[in-house]
């Protein structure tokens, strides 16, 4: 799912320090295991969410989405 993918990326970058810019998604609760990775991914322009104000943490992440996350993370 999308939460797991951004968490893998966050850990691959060794959980870098960053300054969160608020809570951009209504479905990412504070204190969740994936909150910091999602906020990091937003700060790095890796994800923009689902387009409806949600991140879709439990939504399956297809190959195209994973490749997009990877491309944005490494470029």
């Amino acid at each position: 799912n999308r939460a797991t993918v951004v968490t893998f990326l966050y850990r691959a970058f060794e959980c870098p320090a960053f300054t969160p810019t608020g809570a951009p998604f209504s479905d990412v609760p504070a204190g969740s295991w994936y909150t910091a990775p999602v906020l990091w991914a937003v700060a790095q322009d890796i994800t923009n969410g689902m387009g409806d104000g949600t991140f879709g943490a439990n939504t399956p992440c297809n190959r195209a989405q994973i490749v997009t996350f990877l491309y944005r993370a490494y470029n």
Side-chain angles (χ1 to χ4, degrees), residues 3-64:
T4 302
V5 172
V6 295
T7 299
F8 282 142
L9 281 173
Y10 181 64
R11 291 177 182 168
F13 281 89
E14 300 178 358
C15 303
F18 69 99
T19 303
T21 57
F25 304 119
S26 60
D27 63 339
V28 177
S32 175
W33 62 270
Y34 56 85
T35 301
V38 169
L39 295 179
W40 169 80
V42 170
Q44 299 302 309
D45 293 323
I46 294 169
T47 185
N48 299 316
M50 302 291 286
D52 62 355
T54 64
F55 174 67
N58 294 316
T59 303
C61 197
N62 64 38
R63 287 182 286 183

